[in-house]
Amino acid sequence: MRLTPFPRLILEKEGPRSLFRGLGPNLVGVAPSRAIYFASYSTAKEKLNGVFEPDSTQVHMVSAGLAGFTAITVTNPIWLIKTRLQLDARNRGERRMNAFECVRRVYQTEGWRGFYRGMSASYAGISETVIHFVIYESIKRKLVESRAQASMDQDEDESVRDASDFVGMMLAAATSKTCATSIAYPHEVIRTRLREEGSKYRSFFQTLLTVPKEEGYRALYRGLTTHLVRQIPNTAIMMSTYEMVVYLLQR
């Protein structure tokens, strides 16, 4: 497989281990972040179904927004450390900064507020979550309706699901995440710029105006392909697993 210039440059300058920089905080952050997110989403959805029309677009939008806000607020320090470690460029053979050193450095140079850099961009990214869940729930509802109709025609028990149902959920998740990420991706670039140590970027809107002015509007979509390659299978597996767990718990 032919490497693109950027990965090849990293390998030549910093070695293969550099491609896994920030993996520790990422592994530590994924479980609590997803747990907080889905717990908040399910709770909000249950409560809002009694306020709005059950399983309506409004319910999905507000639930996704509240869940995103909660998860971002709690876990932002973890993602900041991950980003700092990823941006810590060292030549091959030089000692790498570890997560504990990064935490100490952030606190010493920026205080507690430093751990929440880029959170404004993460809040802006809630729009991606909202778009994702609105599209996902819409596709999911159509799949469920189609399944129910097929079960009635064949006199089957519609409460019993097979593998094809979860494959459908995976495809629904992949489709919705692709659409949402493609629309809201600029917040990812802005968030990374804000989290970079010693950067000239100070706020969400200042960064949003500065990046296109200095680098062109295409800079706001830099890294989109790589991000999609990571996010689409991750989201498809995560959402289908979530649906399977909910289904098993309700049986």
Side-chain angles (χ1 to χ4, degrees):
M1 182 176 67
R2 182 178 180 272
L3 292 174
T4 55
F6 188 62
R8 187 168 62 242
L9 179 63
I10 293 176
L11 286 172
E12 291 174 353
K13 183 180 179 181
E14 305 175 46
R17 290 184 62 186
S18 63
L19 295 177
F20 294 89
R21 193 177 304 140
L23 178 61
N26 194 58
L27 293 175
V28 171
V30 165
S33 175
R34 298 308 184 192
I36 293 168
Y37 182 87
F38 281 113
S40 301
Y41 180 76
S42 298
T43 302
K45 186 177 176 181
E46 182 180 345
K47 299 292 184 183
L48 291 171
N49 275 336
V51 178
F52 301 107
E53 179 184 347
D55 289 323
S56 62
T57 300
Q58 294 95 321
V59 170
H60 299 150
M61 289 180 66
V62 178
S63 299
L66 289 173
F69 180 87
T70 304
I72 288 166
T73 303
V74 174
T75 61
N76 192 81
I78 298 173
W79 306 128
L80 178 124
I81 297 304
K82 184 200 76 167
T83 302
R84 289 287 177 89
L85 290 175
Q86 290 175 331
L87 294 175
D88 182 42
R90 304 290 176 94
N91 291 323
R92 187 190 292 264
E94 291 183 344
R95 183 177 177 275
R96 309 293 180 187
M97 178 172 61
N98 60 44
F100 295 106
E101 291 172 337
C102 187
V103 170
R104 185 171 63 249
R105 183 168 175 172
V106 171
Y107 179 71
Q108 290 176 344
T109 58
E110 303 174 59
W112 289 111
R113 292 183 62 182
F115 291 102
Y116 291 90
R117 285 181 62 87
M119 194 159 66
S120 58
S122 293
Y123 286 149
I126 291 174
S127 60
E128 177 183 333
T129 303
V130 171
I131 296 168
H132 162 54
F133 267 90
V134 168
I135 297 175
Y136 173 75
E137 293 284 1
S138 177
I139 298 175
K140 175 184 167 182
R141 182 167 56 249
K142 293 184 182 301
L143 289 174
V144 171
E145 291 172 354
S146 176
R147 168 73 175 179
Q149 184 62 46
S151 297
M152 290 177 61
D153 293 340
Q154 300 176 16
D155 294 325
E156 295 178 354
D157 183 359
E158 65 180 71
S159 65
V160 178
R161 292 185 173 181
D162 55 31
S164 63
D165 292 305
F166 295 105
V167 171
M169 298 299 179
M170 291 181 72
L171 293 174
T175 301
S176 58
K177 189 63 175 180
T178 300
C179 295
T181 300
S182 299
I183 293 170
Y185 183 74
H187 89 274
E188 294 278 354
V189 175
I190 294 171
R191 181 171 60 192
T192 301
R193 298 293 180 94
L194 286 171
R195 287 175 175 172
E196 186 175 3
E197 184 177 10
S199 72
K200 60 185 175 183
Y201 304 108
R202 294 290 175 265
S203 67
F204 177 82
F205 289 107
Q206 181 252 349
T207 308
L208 180 62
L209 295 173
T210 302
V211 171
K213 182 179 178 180
E214 295 183 349
E215 306 172 44
Y217 285 97
R218 292 184 63 181
L220 292 174
Y221 286 88
R222 191 172 296 154
L224 174 60
T225 302
T226 304
H227 189 70
L228 287 173
V229 169
R230 180 180 70 89
Q231 284 281 38
I232 293 174
N234 175 48
T235 303
I237 294 170
M238 178 183 66
M239 295 303 298
S240 61
T241 302
Y242 168 74
E243 295 290 353
M244 184 182 296
V245 171
V246 171
Y247 168 69
L248 292 174
L249 291 175
Q250 291 177 343
R251 291 189 66 179

